[in-house]
């Protein structure tokens, strides 16, 4: 399998977003089953596994990091673990998605990294990502803290999730950024404007929610139901009943491309971004072995530059519903 470079970090062309095993997609999956699935992923050639300190439940806020720590303690050198700092949830009385409270102060970062190292049962974090920008902390301060952690050997690379161009440029000037992690899919293309800066700085792009939270798999219908108590999809606009009719032309485009390439809709959605830029690595999530095989198979599908451009033109012109753009950010309480 062809590998990809995020700056000087080598990873599989498709990574595995592990959040949904513990958080935001209904009740957490059975831990033993997920440990087996993670082992299967390693055997298939996945090397990039993405988590965060806040991917968990009310009863166990750090469930996902603990899961990965148990799963990878016997094969640590075969995997690249990406985890995140600088965020906590504002636990309101309403169902999720909960508002997010950023905290990227140096003291909180140091507390966070020690917790993640312990839960992941490792002596270093391969890629440490600022989960969301903290408007109360300058990017230079965050980057300097990352530089210190690198010198101490606690992290090997760092990055920023949901960054802006200005923030990335300022942070990178202090401590070079290996990758950013932003939302990106056929329905969420607003971060394409940052591509020229990524190429200028030699920074990779990890694409989260590359299937629009699963919608682009075309597995779901207007009849699909989600528990509003623990499944964020219940509040996502692309899963509203009327959205399926609004997105029918998009679904038809993906189905037609899948038929032409002898692929699945999910594979087409992933191959489109893989063939667009060599530094893009999508991290779809799953709890199922069949989807794990399907997603990594997208790396074997080739779309020519002309085909990618033609898809982009169609995406520009066809109607689509609103798509979830992220949880609300509330004032930092440093």
């Amino acid at each position: 399998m062809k590998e990809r470079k995020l700056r000087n970090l080598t990873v599989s062309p498709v990574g595995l977003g592990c959040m949904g095993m513990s958080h935001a997609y209904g009740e957490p999956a059975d831990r033993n089953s997920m440990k087996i699935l993670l082992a299967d992923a390693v055997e298939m050639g996945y090397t990039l596994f993405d988590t965060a300190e806040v991917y968990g439940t009310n009863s166990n806020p750090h469930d996902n990091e603990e899961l990965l720590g148990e799963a990878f303690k016997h094969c640590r050198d075969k995997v690249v673990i990406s985890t995140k700092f600088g965020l906590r949830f504002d636990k309101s009385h309403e169902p999720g998605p909960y508002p997010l409270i950023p905290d990227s102060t140096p003291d909180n970062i140091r507390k966070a990294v020690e917790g993640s190292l312990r839960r992941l049962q490792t002596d270093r974090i391969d890629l440490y990502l600022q989960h969301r920008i903290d408007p109360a902390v300058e990017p230079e301060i965050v980057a300097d803290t990352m530089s210190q952690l690198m010198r101490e050997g606690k992290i090997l690379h760092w990055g920023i999730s949901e960054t802006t161009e200005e923030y990335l440029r300022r942070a990178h000037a202090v401590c070079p950024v290996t990758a950013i992690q932003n939302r990106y899919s056929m329905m969420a293309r607003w971060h394409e404007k940052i591509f020229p800066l990524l190429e200028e700085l030699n920074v990779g792009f990890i694409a989260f929610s590359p299937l629009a939270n699963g919608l682009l798999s075309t597995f779901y219908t207007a009849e699909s139901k989600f528990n509003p108590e623990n499944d964020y999809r219940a509040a996502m606009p692309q899963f509203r009943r009327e959205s399926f009719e609004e997105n029918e032309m998009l679904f038809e485009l993906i189905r037609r491309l899948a038929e032409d390439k002898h692929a699945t809709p999910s594979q087409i959605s992933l191959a489109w971004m893989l063939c667009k830029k060599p530094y893009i690595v999508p991290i779809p999530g799953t709890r199922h072995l069949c989807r794990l095989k399907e997603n990594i198979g997208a790396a074997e599908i080739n779309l020519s530059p002309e085909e990618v451009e033609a898809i982009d033109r169609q995406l520009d012109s066809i109607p689509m519903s609103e798509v979830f753009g992220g949880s609300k950010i509330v004032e930092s309480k440093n």
Side-chain angles (χ1 to χ4, degrees), residues 287-307:
R287 300 180 176 188
H288 304 287
L289 181 62
C290 61
R291 295 295 184 190
L292 200 66
K293 294 177 180 177
E294 177 184 4
N295 291 342
I296 204 164
E300 306 302 321
I301 297 169
N302 182 61
L303 297 170
S304 69
E306 293 76 19
E307 288 174 313

Side-chain angles (χ1 to χ4, degrees), residues 110-301:
R110 287 196 166 274
K111 179 181 177 182
V113 75
E114 296 299 338
S116 290
L117 287 168
R118 182 178 65 256
R119 290 185 290 270
L120 291 166
Q121 302 187 44
T122 187
D123 61 352
R124 83 282 184 189
I125 294 168
D126 301 297
L127 179 61
Y128 203 36
L129 293 159
Q130 183 180 18
H131 208 153
R132 291 291 185 273
I133 290 173
D134 184 347
V137 181
E138 297 296 321
E140 291 82 1
I141 294 175
V142 177
D144 182 65
T145 306
M146 295 298 104
S147 180
Q148 294 174 34
L149 293 176
M150 286 181 185
R151 290 196 297 270
E152 295 166 17
K154 294 179 178 179
I155 69 171
L156 304 184
H157 303 267
W158 88 287
I160 311 163
S161 182
E162 295 282 57
T163 187
T164 64
E165 294 180 59
E166 178 189 5
Y167 192 94
L168 172 59
R169 190 179 289 279
R170 288 174 60 185
H172 185 84
V174 174
C175 183
V177 172
T178 293
I180 67 168
Q181 187 180 121
N182 285 17
R183 185 182 306 275
Y184 188 50
S185 72
M186 285 184 170
M187 295 184 75
R189 297 171 59 202
W190 48 82
H191 290 301
E192 289 183 346
K193 63 184 179 182
I194 206 171
F195 288 171
L197 180 58
L198 299 181
E199 291 160 17
E200 174 191 336
L201 301 180
N202 187 24
V203 173
F205 188 109
I206 299 172
F208 75 84
S209 298
L211 300 176
N213 305 97
L215 184 77
L216 300 182
S217 68
T218 69
F219 175 78
Y220 300 99
T221 70
E223 306 306 317
S224 298
K225 304 295 183 183
F226 306 101
N227 184 351
E229 296 300 319
N230 56 22
D231 195 320
Y232 284 14
R233 289 170 294 187
M236 291 181 181
Q238 69 265 36
F239 288 102
R240 295 171 185 154
R241 173 179 290 273
E242 61 270 21
S243 294
F244 286 87
E245 182 175 349
E246 294 173 39
N247 291 318
E248 186 51 45
M249 290 183 68
L250 173 61
F251 297 150
E252 179 56 33
L253 168 63
I254 295 172
R255 292 189 193 102
R256 185 172 69 251
L257 291 167
E259 183 176 352
D260 290 345
K261 294 293 181 178
H262 305 289
T264 68
S266 292
Q267 288 175 331
I268 288 297
S269 299
L270 298 173
W272 162 77
M273 63 178 68
L274 286 167
C275 294
K276 183 185 289 280
K277 298 291 182 182
Y279 51 82
I280 294 178
V281 176
I283 52 168
T286 188
R287 300 180 176 188
H288 304 287
L289 181 62
C290 61
R291 295 295 184 190
L292 200 66
K293 294 177 180 177
E294 177 184 4
N295 291 342
I296 204 164
E300 306 302 321
I301 297 169

